[in-house]
Amino acid sequence: MVLPPSPTATPSDGYDTSEPSEEPTYSPSPAEETYDPDGRDDVTGRNCDFSNSLRQFTYTVSITNPSTTDSFSYDMAVNWMKAKPADGKAYGLHQRSIVVGPGDTETYTAKYTVNQSSIGQFWYTCQITRAHKTRM
């Protein structure tokens, strides 16, 4: 004796016959942040100035660490350059290393004192020539 096949539900009957997926769920481990060792994009400068009475160049430098997890050391160099004619000569150089925590901003004033007693009228510009960035 042959039994007729038992009725089965089909999608056209309004029943979902597919098995639920048992794929494992997981959270990928957070990827380590990558960084460019040239940190000049993290640095801004303002108030490029020269004081005749002090014979001193100054420039306000702000460094913002974009990382949310890592501290970085920035090896900074600021040059006060001859502007007219712009011949690539520097009047002065300031160098400093500064550590900036995750998401923090550090601001300092770069200074350079000219050794001449009288410098006369001249044209100058401030340039951040180096901001080498190292993970701490």
Side-chain angles (χ1 to χ4, degrees):
M1 165 173 158
V2 177
L3 295 174
S6 61
T8 58
T10 63
S12 61
D13 295 335
Y15 297 102
D16 183 5
T17 60
S18 63
E19 294 286 323
S21 171
E22 293 296 326
E23 291 181 27
T25 58
Y26 67 95
S27 298
S29 61
E32 184 175 311
E33 291 183 49
T34 59
Y35 73 97
D36 183 353
D38 182 355
R40 285 180 289 180
D41 286 345
D42 303 349
V43 181
T44 57
R46 64 184 186 286
N47 302 329
C48 180
D49 200 14
F50 180 76
S51 166
N52 277 318
S53 61
L54 297 174
R55 298 187 329 272
Q56 188 176 69
F57 288 104
T58 56
Y59 193 43
T60 303
V61 178
S62 294
I63 307 163
T64 301
N65 179 355
S67 174
T68 58
T69 58
D70 294 318
S71 293
F72 288 96
S73 174
Y74 290 81
D75 181 24
M76 302 295 301
V78 174
N79 277 88
W80 289 270
M81 304 297 291
K82 190 173 178 182
K84 291 183 182 179
D87 58 7
K89 292 183 181 173
Y91 290 116
L93 169 67
H94 169 90
Q95 299 182 83
R96 178 177 178 178
S97 290
I98 188 166
V99 175
V100 184
D104 289 345
T105 299
E106 297 289 338
T107 300
Y108 72 96
T109 300
K111 297 178 182 179
Y112 179 81
T113 302
V114 178
N115 291 329
Q116 296 169 263
S117 60
S118 175
I119 196 164
Q121 185 176 2
F122 64 101
W123 298 91
Y124 61 95
T125 185
C126 298
Q127 294 180 7
I128 296 165
T129 54
R130 183 180 68 243
H132 184 76
K133 184 175 174 181
T134 306
R135 183 178 278 124
M136 298 301 291

